[in-house]
Amino acid sequence: TTTTTTTTPTTTTTTTITTTTTTTYNTPSPTTTTPIIIIVTDTITTTVSTSTSVMTSTMTTTAAAPCLTEGGAKVGLPCVFPFTNAGVTYTSCTTAGGFAKPWCSTSTDSFGNHVTGNWGDCSATCQTTQAAATAAPATCTTVNGAEAGKKCVFPFTHKGVVHKACTYAGGFSKPWCSTRVDYWGRHVKGTWGDCDTGNCKVEALWG
């Protein structure tokens, strides 16, 4: 915190104005016909004071607390913002990938891309953006499969193919989706479910 104070000294100016009034009276003398002239002089003094008050200006700046990691692969390191992961640029911690704890990158290359393995779970002092860009709408959920009743996560990569909707990939009769991906957007084995086709988008079935 930095405080700057500017003080102007108090200045007092006093001005005195004197006004003189002269009154002449003609009073006859009892022994002569020559009038006696009486001059009465009244002096009025007026004092005017001018005062300048003290003015104090204070400016306070507070430095933001650093965003550090408290878990994950790299602990106790500052997050690097912005960072780009799987084609998406983040300016704060994110839950992208279906993770419960927000995370950030602790190292990026010269192009701002996240360096693999350099990540950590963000502390409570960090700003977090929920992964709306990678999570499917709340209405798209699974109804059967390994993880029924879970939200689908899009996009997800399975066997080198990126899927942005439920898919029949693998020769399945029902469209399915991933419910969790890793930090590279790849489907985590065993975390899948059959999509609710009444609310989820489904890739076209060719052939």
Side-chain angles (χ1 to χ4, degrees), residues 68-115:
L68 302 176
T69 58
E70 61 179 9
K74 303 292 182 180
V75 181
L77 294 182
C79 293
V80 176
F81 299 117
F83 69 90
T84 301
N85 184 54
V88 180
T89 300
Y90 302 93
T91 56
S92 61
C93 298
T94 179
T95 55
F99 295 95
K101 292 183 178 181
W103 64 277
C104 71
S105 175
T106 57
S107 180
T108 57
D109 61 19
S110 58
F111 301 101
N113 295 312
H114 168 62
V115 176

Side-chain angles (χ1 to χ4, degrees), residues 4-138:
T4 303
T5 304
T6 304
T7 303
T8 303
T10 301
T11 303
T12 302
T13 304
T14 302
T15 304
T16 302
I17 303 173
T18 302
T19 304
T20 302
T21 304
T22 302
T23 307
T24 304
Y25 300 93
N26 291 329
T27 305
S29 173
T31 60
T32 179
T33 59
T34 303
I36 297 175
I37 300 174
I38 300 175
I39 300 175
V40 178
T41 302
D42 295 328
T43 301
I44 301 174
T45 301
T46 303
T47 301
V48 179
S49 297
T50 303
S51 179
T52 303
S53 302
V54 177
M55 298 181 63
T56 302
S57 176
T58 302
M59 181 178 66
T60 302
T61 56
T62 303
C67 178
L68 302 176
T69 58
E70 61 179 9
K74 303 292 182 180
V75 181
L77 294 182
C79 293
V80 176
F81 299 117
F83 69 90
T84 301
N85 184 54
V88 180
T89 300
Y90 302 93
T91 56
S92 61
C93 298
T94 179
T95 55
F99 295 95
K101 292 183 178 181
W103 64 277
C104 71
S105 175
T106 57
S107 180
T108 57
D109 61 19
S110 58
F111 301 101
N113 295 312
H114 168 62
V115 176
T116 303
N118 292 270
W119 63 274
D121 296 325
C122 296
S123 63
T125 60
C126 300
Q127 183 179 356
T128 301
T129 300
Q130 296 299 320
T134 57

